[in-house]
């Protein structure tokens, strides 16, 4: 039998990135071995490590080298870990690690970002919310990813007449929030399609009482809702949504929203799971899709071997599902993660005072446990 080959462009990035990526790759090879698929991973530079390397080589300093973008475009999927860190945090620097991430999203036309929030039964106590509030929580955040404030014009002017205190000259800055109808439509439509395969509910989040972009968003949502009469549709203001996410998170099924609101609400929603270290994400669009944890590069614990690799591993699962239609393998991997947590294994971020020290694992050991559980699930 000839096995399938998939080429994965892997972007370890900065901070804990390389450590969690190593586990993502090991899990991928375990999946490949079980399902007779050859996943060929090739590392490329992005973020702070790209800035440093291009600078050291005397090239144009960039957080997304052209060679990385080409490799990503040519690959069957992109797996990214994390970018950024204090070393590159100078807000006045002309090139910043995050630009690499934004540029790859834009250039791969990844307009749709999915962040599933799933509560692991074993982690109910790790959430800051009382366990009874988590009952029935299972939501999918659909975030618009290539528009809005992130990609409108960013402007800064200094020595502007009257912009300082007491009428003196000072600085002025502006960011433009902008959306075209088609950018809203393709994301909102996707949310309705997804809801049909779930609990049949879409909550569209906006700030239509203030923003013109939000009024357009809401109008488009109402129009599209008419094509999906089997889906229950509602609008919710973003401030209220932030409150409802902690007051009654079980009411949400699919939550669809624009770029900045989605960024903020998905970090908030991640805490329902107990740790930002559990939230995976898939960015989809016209071409190659990209999969990454929703968390950052955690520079404070980088290089210590204690980072939680589960969001990276769960991003591999999303990749299997969305890019390779390997639903069974993805479900098996998800079940393996659930089994490991059920057995009481934790990384430091998931441990609490009741966790025995002997159950707290480092990054690699957690990878081992998941692979072991995956192989056991496959053997069943
Ligand atoms: C995310 C991150 C990024 C974003 C940053 C690193 C630019 O917070 O993926 O949520 O704001 O989109
Ligand atoms: Mg974010």
């Amino acid at each position: 039998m000839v096995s399938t080959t998939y080429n994965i462009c892997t972007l370890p990035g900065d901070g804990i990135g390389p450590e969690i990526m190593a586990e993502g790759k090991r899990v991928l090879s375990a999946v490949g071995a079980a399902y007779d698929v050859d996943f060929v991973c090739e590392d490329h530079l992005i973020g702070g490590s790209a800035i440093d390397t291009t600078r050291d080589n005397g090239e144009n300093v960039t957080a997304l080298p052209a060679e990385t973008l080409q490799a990503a475009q040519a690959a069957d999927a992109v797996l990214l870990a994390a970018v950024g860190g204090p070393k590159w945090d100078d807000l006045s620097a002309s090139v910043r690690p995050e630009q690499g991430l934004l540029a790859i999203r834009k250039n791969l036309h990844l307009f749709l970002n999915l962040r599933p929030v799933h509560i692991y039964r074993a982690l109910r106590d790790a959430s800051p919310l009382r366990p009874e509030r988590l009952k029935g929580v299972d939501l999918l955040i659909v975030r618009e990813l290539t528009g809005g404030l992130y990609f409108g014009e960013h402007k800064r002017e200094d020595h502007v007449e009257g912009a300082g205190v007491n009428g003196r000259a000072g600085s002025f800055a502006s960011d433009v929030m902008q959306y075209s109808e088609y950018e809203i439509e393709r994301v909102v439509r996707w949310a309705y399609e997804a809801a049909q395969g779930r609990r049949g509910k879409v909550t569209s989040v906006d700030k239509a009482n203030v923003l013109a972009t939000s009024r357009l968003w809401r109008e488009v949502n109402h129009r599209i809702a008419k094509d999906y009469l089997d889906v229950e549709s509602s609008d919710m203001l973003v401030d209220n949504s932030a409150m409802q996410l902690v007051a009654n998170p079980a009411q949400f099924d699919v939550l669809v929203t624009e770029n900045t609101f989605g960024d903020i609400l998905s970090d908030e929603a991640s805490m329902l799971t107990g740790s930002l270290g559990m939230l995976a994400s898939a960015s989809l669009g016209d071409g190659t899709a990209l999969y990454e944890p929703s968390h950052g590069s955690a520079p404070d614990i980088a290089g210590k071997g204690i980072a939680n690799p589960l969001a990276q591993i769960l991003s591999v699962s999303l990749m299997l599902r969305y890019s390779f239609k390997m639903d069974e393998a993805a479900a098996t991997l998800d079940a393996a993660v659930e089994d490991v947590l059920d057995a009481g294994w934790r990384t430091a971020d998931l441990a609490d005072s009741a966790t025995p020290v002997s159950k707290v694992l480092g990054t690699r050991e957690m990878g081992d446990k998941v692979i072991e559980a995956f192989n056991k699930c496959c053997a069943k």
Side-chain angles (χ1 to χ4, degrees):
M1 194 165 114
V2 184
S3 71
T4 315
T5 298
Y6 289 125
N7 294 308
I8 318 291
C9 171
T10 41
L11 307 174
D14 311 316
I16 58 168
E19 296 160 62
I20 58 174
M21 179 61 83
E23 300 318 304
K25 284 187 195 167
R26 291 174 63 225
V27 165
L28 253 184
S29 10
V31 173
Y35 284 85
D36 199 22
V37 174
D38 205 4
F39 293 106
V40 181
C41 297
E42 200 181 275
D43 278 354
H44 292 274
L45 292 169
I46 194 166
S49 49
I51 293 176
D52 289 352
T53 307
T54 48
R55 180 176 291 130
D56 290 350
N57 292 348
E59 296 163 20
N60 247 349
V61 178
T62 173
L64 180 67
E67 172 274 321
T68 299
L69 180 60
Q70 278 156 17
Q73 281 163 335
D76 294 306
V78 181
L79 185 64
L80 184 142
V83 298
K87 185 174 172 194
W88 308 280
D89 257 355
D90 176 7
L91 287 178
S92 63
S94 59
V95 188
R96 296 170 42 77
E98 290 76 10
Q99 289 169 345
L101 187 55
L102 299 184
I104 200 168
R105 287 174 180 170
K106 193 69 173 179
N107 282 291
L108 293 178
H109 309 287
L110 303 170
F111 52 82
L112 193 82
N113 182 232
L114 309 177
R115 299 187 166 179
V117 180
H118 172 74
I119 308 295
Y120 293 87
R121 50 187 177 245
L123 293 183
R124 276 178 195 278
D125 292 329
S127 170
L129 289 197
R130 287 201 299 275
E132 64 268 25
R133 296 235 165 157
L134 298 175
K135 228 168 147 192
V137 170
D138 180 17
L139 65 116
L140 176 66
I141 297 184
V142 179
R143 169 187 174 193
E144 198 289 326
L145 202 61
T146 51
L149 273 178
Y150 278 64
F151 294 94
E153 190 193 0
H154 306 292
K155 212 164 74 183
R156 159 92 188 224
E157 287 170 50
D158 295 309
H159 316 291
V160 178
E161 207 67 47
V165 284
N166 300 330
R168 287 201 284 269
S171 301
F172 166 88
S174 69
D175 301 281
V176 177
M177 189 163 192
Q178 54 185 33
Y179 272 106
S180 298
E181 199 174 338
Y182 80 91
E183 293 177 287
I184 302 170
E185 166 138 7
R186 60 191 177 184
V187 173
V188 171
R189 195 169 284 287
W190 204 95
Y192 281 87
E193 304 271 341
Q196 284 182 320
R198 297 173 46 98
R199 301 202 314 279
K201 235 177 125 175
V202 168
T203 310
S204 171
V205 173
D206 63 38
K207 187 73 185 169
N209 51 349
V210 177
L211 303 174
T213 42
S214 279
R215 284 192 282 274
L216 177 60
W217 186 284
R218 196 174 276 214
E219 220 176 280
V220 172
N221 177 45
H222 290 181
R223 176 164 56 73
I224 291 173
K226 295 199 185 101
D227 295 341
Y228 300 88
L229 293 174
D230 52 334
V231 176
E232 188 188 327
S233 165
S234 61
D235 308 292
M236 195 181 276
L237 295 173
V238 64
D239 46 352
N240 184 30
S241 308
M243 187 266 277
Q244 295 292 337
L245 266 175
V246 285
N248 178 16
Q251 71 183 290
F252 297 106
D253 177 19
V254 178
L255 190 158
V256 60
T257 191
E258 67 87 42
N259 205 346
T260 307
F261 298 162
D263 177 45
I264 298 167
L265 293 181
S266 60
D267 264 29
E268 186 192 7
S270 77
M271 283 317 290
L272 301 171
T273 70
S275 170
L276 189 50
M278 295 302 297
L279 209 64
S281 93
S283 301
L284 313 177
D286 299 330
T288 316
L290 180 148
Y291 302 87
E292 60 174 316
S294 298
H295 60 69
S297 60
D300 52 322
I301 58 163
K304 295 189 178 160
I306 58 168
N308 179 355
L310 292 176
Q312 184 79 69
I313 290 170
L314 293 166
S315 299
V316 167
S317 160
L318 290 177
M319 178 166 102
L320 297 171
R321 214 179 278 278
Y322 289 111
S323 282
F324 306 133
K325 308 285 168 260
M326 295 174 67
D327 284 15
E328 189 196 291
T332 309
L333 184 51
D334 292 345
V337 170
E338 190 104 43
D339 285 352
V340 168
L341 294 170
D342 279 348
W345 300 109
R346 300 285 184 272
T347 41
D349 58 310
L350 299 173
D352 57 25
S353 52
T355 313
V357 181
S358 59
K359 287 286 192 180
V360 182
L361 303 176
T363 311
R364 187 171 173 101
E365 294 81 60
M366 184 51 105
D368 284 339
K369 287 288 174 206
V370 173
I371 292 168
E372 201 181 294
F374 175 81
N375 288 333
K376 213 186 261 172
C377 290
C378 287
K380 268 184 204 158

